[in-house]
Each structure stands twice: as C-alpha cells, then as structure tokens.
Amino acid sequence: MEIGSPREVKLKAVEATPESFAPFGQVISSSPDGDEFGPHDAQLDLSRGIPRFYIMRLEDRKLKFSTITHHASVTQCLGSIGGEDWYLGVSEASILEDRTENSTPEGGKTVKKSACGHYYSPPNPDGVCVFRVSGSKFLKLNKGTWHAGPLFKTKAMDFYNLELNNTNVVDHTTHNFRKEDGVVFIIED
C-alpha cells in the first residue's frame, strides 16, 4: 500500500496500571518478601522451550514506530533497569485458532499465515495504544500481544527481558504499518 508519505498518527501515552494494561498482559510491581504466589504475580507461559532471562541494551529508540511484533508461543516480560520511564505501543492479540490462509473470520478481517506457522489477523491501526511505564515495575505481555518497543527519550537504556531462548528466531511475527497501512505512530507524552 505504501504510496507517498505515510500518515502520522499521534498517540497519547497512558500510564500502565494493572487495570489499564489488562487487555494486553499484566503490570507487576514489588510485593513483600515472603508473599505466596498469586494473581498479582506474573502468570507466565514458558512451556514451549528454554526460558531466557537477560539484560538487553537498546539505543536510539525514539518515541515513534511503524512496525509491531507478536510472539505466539510465549509470554514475555520487559522492565527497565533503574526504573526510568519507557513506552510500549501495543495492540490486542489476534492469533487465530483453526483458520486457514485467506479464510475470513467474523467481521471480515484478513487472515495471514506467519512464517512461524500460526494464523493471525493483522493489527488494525485504530486498535493501537501506547503505555508509559514509570518506576520499578515491569510488564508481562500475554501470548500474541502485538508490541512496539521498548521506546524511550534517553540515548540508551538497559532492560531485562524474559522470553524463550529462541523467541526472536522461531516466534517473531512483525506487521509493518507503514507498508501495509500507510501509517507511522508518534507518541505524545
């Protein structure tokens, strides 16, 4: 679809709280030592491989994006080291069970087959929103949640990341809004 300059869509960042982020995953904050496991803890699914917990250094991730990614086989946790503010663009999961390519689910949405083997509906630009993550908390993304980022205002930041050891090789589906929808998102804070 890419014809001429993309349309810039400005999105106001909303603070990530357990309530505001619920359709996409969880916001996890500190809890007292000795607390038993419960619904306030990250509800993880790392059952399809070897978990990988690592620190990733990101540079030059300005408050603008045109691609968004999902992982169909794993939950993912992201948090900044040091609790600096950061941003994440998201859209609800759209993985389709029991579908075939070019079939039309309810609502007439397009169905695509990921290179990873699963079927999904591409995210709608109107369904994208942005969250600001402030302080010492992290986000747990539900399986299939579309996400763009982490994004931030500083030159570089370190993040801890929990996913599978091969997530970025075998479970990485990306949608390009600029190419497919003629849209680029700008985050306003």
Side-chain angles (χ1 to χ4, degrees), residues 65-69 147-149 174-178 185:
F65 64 95
S66 60
T67 61
I68 197 163
T69 297
H147 56 286
T174 299
H175 178 77
N176 188 324
F177 285 112
R178 178 189 299 264
F185 295 98

Side-chain angles (χ1 to χ4, degrees), residues 41-105:
D41 294 304
Q43 306 298 306
L44 303 173
D45 183 352
L46 302 168
S47 63
R48 293 189 179 185
I50 299 168
R52 179 183 183 204
F53 181 65
Y54 65 103
I55 297 171
M56 62 180 184
R57 178 136 187 100
L58 299 177
E59 296 181 359
D60 298 317
R61 298 290 183 101
K62 302 302 178 205
L63 304 185
K64 180 178 182 177
F65 64 95
S66 60
T67 61
I68 197 163
T69 297
H70 79 225
H71 310 300
S73 299
V74 65
T75 55
Q76 181 179 17
C77 293
L78 295 165
S80 73
I81 295 179
E84 294 178 61
D85 288 3
W86 58 284
Y87 303 81
L88 192 71
V90 294
S91 186
E92 288 192 45
S94 59
I95 297 168
L96 303 170
E97 304 295 332
D98 304 320
R99 297 286 181 191
T100 59
E101 195 165 15
N102 298 321
S103 65
T104 305

Side-chain angles (χ1 to χ4, degrees), residues 12-22 27 29 83 85-87 130-137 139 189:
K12 181 82 173 149
V14 174
E15 185 64 30
T17 65
E19 298 76 24
S20 66
F21 197 72
V27 176
S29 299
D85 288 3
W86 58 284
Y87 303 81
V130 174
F131 289 93
R132 178 188 332 93
V133 184
S134 304
S136 57
K137 55 188 168 188
L139 298 181
D189 190 31

Side-chain angles (χ1 to χ4, degrees), residues 124-183:
N124 185 324
D126 294 335
V128 176
C129 57
V130 174
F131 289 93
R132 178 188 332 93
V133 184
S134 304
S136 57
K137 55 188 168 188
F138 69 88
L139 298 181
K140 190 272 315 201
L141 302 174
N142 292 336
K143 282 195 294 187
T145 294
W146 293 95
H147 56 286
L151 306 168
F152 42 87
K153 295 177 182 178
T154 60
K155 174 74 174 151
M157 283 180 71
D158 291 337
F159 290 84
Y160 51 92
N161 188 354
L162 175 62
E163 57 190 4
L164 296 181
N165 68 332
N166 60 359
T167 295
N168 289 321
V169 177
V170 301
D171 188 17
H172 196 268
T173 301
T174 299
H175 178 77
N176 188 324
F177 285 112
R178 178 189 299 264
K179 180 180 170 187
E180 300 292 329
D181 306 289
V183 172

